[in-house]
Amino acid sequence: MTPTEQLARGTAAAAGPSTVRPPLPVKMVIAGGFGVGKTTAVGSISEIEPLTTEAAITEVAAGVDDLTHTPRKTTTTVAMDFGCITIDPTLKLYLFGTPGQERFGFMWDDIVEGAVGGLVIVDTRRLDDCYAAVDYFEHRQIPFAVALNAFDGQVEHPLEEVRWALDVSEHVPVVVFDARERGSVRDALLVVLELALARTEA
């Protein structure tokens, strides 16, 4: 049984008359390029102190990672971020943030294993940095949504231009959100959750 099928079965069971049960645990991945806001998003919404694997950006790393648009960034995720949020009494999301650099890409398969879907965060100033994440979810046929992080309260390009540039199909939601705002992150995650549920009902 796939993770999305388990989600649909668990949600249906929770909706029926029964004794009080703990929330259904659901795994979701937050992915994207370097410095797009993955750690910030997990930290904004997690109801527990998020687990992060941040390391200082050294001079060597700074020579590899483009800090042009993130000059104040002094650390980077080298393994994953982890947090969780209870959506309602029946459902609890466990959030796993991936490292953004290609050199840490070998970890992705383990992080994504068992996830019902993914949220690919995009910085519209650096669209090239998110192609790898989009391709990853497309090739593995994992439900995902694209979330444009509104740095400084704005995005550089309209939604449809970003959809065209990323060459994502019409069934992939493209939304704008703010990784610093709890409610905004929640709404973006719910888009992925609804997408995963819809796939099980198709």
Side-chain angles (χ1 to χ4, degrees), residues 73-85:
K73 187 172 177 61
T74 59
T75 62
T76 185
T77 301
V78 295
M80 68 174 186
D81 299 314
F82 173 77
C84 64
I85 177 68

Side-chain angles (χ1 to χ4, degrees), residues 52-199:
T52 61
T53 54
E54 295 280 289
I57 296 176
T58 64
E59 290 185 13
V60 174
V64 176
D65 301 321
D66 184 4
L67 300 176
T68 304
H69 294 286
T70 55
R72 294 186 298 272
K73 187 172 177 61
T74 59
T75 62
T76 185
T77 301
V78 295
M80 68 174 186
D81 299 314
F82 173 77
C84 64
I85 177 68
T86 302
I87 298 297
D88 60 36
T90 68
L91 191 65
K92 188 168 188 173
L93 288 183
Y94 288 88
L95 308 172
F96 291 77
T98 65
Q101 300 94 324
E102 287 188 23
R103 62 183 179 277
F104 298 127
F106 65 91
M107 302 178 188
W108 278 47
D109 286 343
D110 289 334
I111 294 173
V112 172
E113 179 69 28
V116 299
L119 184 70
V120 176
I121 300 179
V122 172
D123 180 349
T124 55
R125 301 168 300 180
R126 300 179 288 131
L127 288 178
D128 289 354
D129 292 352
C130 70
Y131 291 144
V134 169
D135 288 346
Y136 183 93
F137 286 98
E138 283 184 336
H139 291 158
R140 285 158 182 78
Q141 299 184 334
I142 299 171
F144 73 99
V146 172
L148 314 184
N149 195 1
F151 286 91
D152 299 322
Q154 63 182 5
V155 294
E156 294 293 316
H157 306 285
L159 295 182
E160 286 310 310
E161 287 186 11
V162 174
R163 179 185 296 280
W164 177 84
L166 298 181
D167 193 27
V168 293
S169 64
E170 289 298 322
H171 74 270
V172 175
V174 179
V175 301
V176 175
F177 89 127
D178 188 329
R180 303 166 299 179
E181 298 292 334
R182 180 182 177 88
S184 187
V185 176
R186 177 204 60 213
D187 291 345
L189 293 173
L190 288 176
V191 169
V192 180
L193 194 59
E194 291 171 2
L195 193 65
L197 281 170
R199 177 171 292 195

